[in-house]
CSV table of all heavy atoms in Angstrom, one decimal:
chain,number,residue,atom,x,y,z
A,1931,GLU,N,11.6,16.9,-7.4
A,1931,GLU,CA,13.0,16.8,-7.8
A,1931,GLU,C,13.1,16.1,-9.2
A,1931,GLU,O,12.5,15.1,-9.4
A,1931,GLU,CB,13.8,16.1,-6.8
A,1931,GLU,CG,15.3,15.9,-7.2
A,1931,GLU,CD,16.0,15.1,-6.2
A,1931,GLU,OE1,15.4,14.2,-5.5
A,1931,GLU,OE2,17.3,15.3,-6.0
A,1932,MET,N,13.9,16.7,-10.1
A,1932,MET,CA,14.3,16.0,-11.3
A,1932,MET,C,15.8,15.6,-11.2
A,1932,MET,O,16.6,16.4,-10.9
A,1932,MET,CB,14.1,16.9,-12.5
A,1932,MET,CG,12.7,17.2,-12.9
A,1932,MET,SD,12.5,18.2,-14.4
A,1932,MET,CE,13.2,17.1,-15.6
A,1933,ILE,N,16.0,14.3,-11.3
A,1933,ILE,CA,17.4,13.8,-11.1
A,1933,ILE,C,17.8,12.9,-12.3
A,1933,ILE,O,16.9,12.2,-12.9
A,1933,ILE,CB,17.4,12.9,-9.8
A,1933,ILE,CG1,18.8,12.5,-9.5
A,1933,ILE,CG2,16.5,11.8,-9.8
A,1933,ILE,CD1,19.0,11.9,-8.1
A,1934,LEU,N,19.0,13.0,-12.7
A,1934,LEU,CA,19.5,12.2,-13.8
A,1934,LEU,C,19.2,10.7,-13.7
A,1934,LEU,O,19.4,10.2,-12.6
A,1934,LEU,CB,21.0,12.4,-14.0
A,1934,LEU,CG,21.4,13.7,-14.8
A,1934,LEU,CD1,22.9,14.0,-14.6
A,1934,LEU,CD2,21.0,13.7,-16.2
A,1935,LEU,N,18.7,10.2,-14.7
A,1935,LEU,CA,18.4,8.7,-14.7
A,1935,LEU,C,19.5,7.9,-14.3
A,1935,LEU,O,19.4,7.0,-13.5
A,1935,LEU,CB,17.8,8.3,-16.1
A,1935,LEU,CG,17.0,7.1,-16.2
A,1935,LEU,CD1,15.7,7.2,-15.4
A,1935,LEU,CD2,16.7,6.7,-17.6
A,1936,ASN,N,20.7,8.2,-14.9
A,1936,ASN,CA,21.9,7.3,-14.6
A,1936,ASN,C,22.3,7.5,-13.1
A,1936,ASN,O,22.8,6.5,-12.5
A,1936,ASN,CB,23.0,7.7,-15.5
A,1936,ASN,CG,22.9,7.2,-16.9
A,1936,ASN,OD1,22.1,6.2,-17.1
A,1936,ASN,ND2,23.5,7.8,-17.9
A,1937,THR,N,22.1,8.7,-12.5
A,1937,THR,CA,22.4,8.9,-11.1
A,1937,THR,C,21.6,7.9,-10.2
A,1937,THR,O,22.1,7.3,-9.3
A,1937,THR,CB,22.2,10.3,-10.7
A,1937,THR,OG1,23.0,11.2,-11.5
A,1937,THR,CG2,22.6,10.6,-9.3
A,1938,VAL,N,20.3,7.9,-10.5
A,1938,VAL,CA,19.4,7.0,-9.8
A,1938,VAL,C,19.8,5.5,-10.0
A,1938,VAL,O,19.8,4.7,-9.0
A,1938,VAL,CB,17.9,7.2,-10.2
A,1938,VAL,CG1,17.0,6.4,-9.4
A,1938,VAL,CG2,17.5,8.7,-10.0
A,1939,LYS,N,20.1,5.2,-11.2
A,1939,LYS,CA,20.5,3.8,-11.5
A,1939,LYS,C,21.7,3.4,-10.7
A,1939,LYS,O,21.8,2.3,-10.1
A,1939,LYS,CB,20.8,3.6,-13.0
A,1939,LYS,CG,21.1,2.2,-13.4
A,1939,LYS,CD,21.3,2.1,-14.9
A,1939,LYS,CE,21.7,0.7,-15.3
A,1939,LYS,NZ,21.9,0.5,-16.7
A,1940,GLU,N,22.7,4.3,-10.6
A,1940,GLU,CA,23.9,4.0,-9.8
A,1940,GLU,C,23.6,3.8,-8.4
A,1940,GLU,O,24.1,2.9,-7.7
A,1940,GLU,CB,25.0,5.1,-10.0
A,1940,GLU,CG,25.5,5.1,-11.4
A,1940,GLU,CD,26.4,6.4,-11.6
A,1940,GLU,OE1,26.7,7.1,-10.6
A,1940,GLU,OE2,26.9,6.6,-12.8
A,1941,LYS,N,22.7,4.7,-7.8
A,1941,LYS,CA,22.4,4.6,-6.4
A,1941,LYS,C,21.6,3.3,-6.1
A,1941,LYS,O,21.7,2.7,-5.0
A,1941,LYS,CB,21.5,5.8,-6.0
A,1941,LYS,CG,22.2,7.1,-5.9
A,1941,LYS,CD,21.2,8.2,-5.5
A,1941,LYS,CE,21.9,9.5,-5.3
A,1941,LYS,NZ,20.9,10.6,-4.8
A,1942,SER,N,20.8,2.8,-7.1
A,1942,SER,CA,20.0,1.6,-6.8
A,1942,SER,C,20.8,0.4,-6.8
A,1942,SER,O,20.5,-0.6,-6.1
A,1942,SER,CB,19.0,1.5,-7.9
A,1942,SER,OG,19.5,1.1,-9.2
A,1943,GLY,N,21.9,0.3,-7.6
A,1943,GLY,CA,22.7,-0.9,-7.7
A,1943,GLY,C,22.1,-2.0,-8.5
A,1943,GLY,O,22.5,-3.1,-8.5
A,1944,PHE,N,21.0,-1.7,-9.2
A,1944,PHE,CA,20.3,-2.7,-10.0
A,1944,PHE,C,21.1,-3.1,-11.2
A,1944,PHE,O,21.7,-2.2,-11.8
A,1944,PHE,CB,18.9,-2.2,-10.4
A,1944,PHE,CG,17.9,-2.2,-9.3
A,1944,PHE,CD1,18.2,-2.4,-8.0
A,1944,PHE,CD2,16.5,-1.9,-9.6
A,1944,PHE,CE1,17.3,-2.3,-7.0
A,1944,PHE,CE2,15.6,-1.9,-8.6
A,1944,PHE,CZ,16.0,-2.1,-7.3
A,1945,SER,N,20.9,-4.3,-11.7
A,1945,SER,CA,21.5,-4.8,-12.9
A,1945,SER,C,20.7,-4.1,-14.1
A,1945,SER,O,19.6,-3.6,-13.9
A,1945,SER,CB,21.4,-6.3,-13.1
A,1945,SER,OG,20.0,-6.7,-13.1
Side-chain angles (χ1 to χ4, degrees):
E1931 176 186 32
M1932 289 183 66
I1933 186 169
L1934 279 167
L1935 198 66
N1936 285 336
T1937 301
V1938 181
K1939 182 178 180 181
E1940 290 173 6
K1941 287 183 178 180
S1942 72
F1944 284 11
S1945 65

